[in-house]
Amino acid sequence: MKSSTQLLSAFTLASLAFLSACNKKEAEAPVASASAPLVAAAPVAAENVIGKTTYGKTCSMCHAANVAGAPKPGDKADWAPRIAQGMDVLYKHALEGFTGAKGQMPARGGAANLSDDDVRATVDYMVAQSR
């Protein structure tokens, strides 16, 4: 039977060997230099649940079928001139209504119960699909 001193020495040697191996692997691992640019992962856009839901329940009745000139989400050619006007104009037309050369947009898509935030979220949803 080994004495406690022998066991302690064996344990100490094994520990030192393990730590030495760990330190060697750390030394071999590449380290980013101060001059190397750090690349951050692109943030994942949160899903616009309110806009998607409101579009599905209210706005899709006209926009999915291009009723009264309503641009279909994803139709980049139809949306481009609208997007070029800026988001404030798109929000205003969606909130207050608009009559233009291509058709009409009723205020709040004809759903007076929609909040301003719901309307804006839906505009954001459709524009994101159409960029």
Side-chain angles (χ1 to χ4, degrees), residues 115-127:
S115 71
D116 289 2
D117 289 339
D118 290 347
V119 172
R120 286 187 187 99
T122 307
V123 170
D124 290 342
Y125 172 77
M126 289 190 284
V127 167

Side-chain angles (χ1 to χ4, degrees), residues 47-109:
E47 184 178 6
N48 181 346
V49 176
I50 293 170
K52 185 176 183 177
T53 302
T54 304
Y55 172 79
K57 289 180 179 179
T58 304
C59 307
S60 64
M61 290 184 278
C62 292
H63 282 272
N66 201 235
V67 172
K72 291 181 182 180
D75 184 337
K76 295 178 192 295
D78 209 8
W79 275 94
R82 291 169 168 95
I83 292 170
Q85 294 177 60
M87 293 303 291
D88 288 339
V89 171
L90 292 175
Y91 294 146
K92 181 178 181 181
H93 290 173
L95 289 165
E96 298 174 9
F98 177 75
T99 300
K102 290 192 171 191
Q104 294 182 329
M105 169 68 196
R108 298 178 188 280

Side-chain angles (χ1 to χ4, degrees), residues 1-10:
M1 187 169 170
K2 295 184 179 182
S3 71
S4 60
T5 305
Q6 288 174 327
L7 287 174
L8 184 58
S9 294

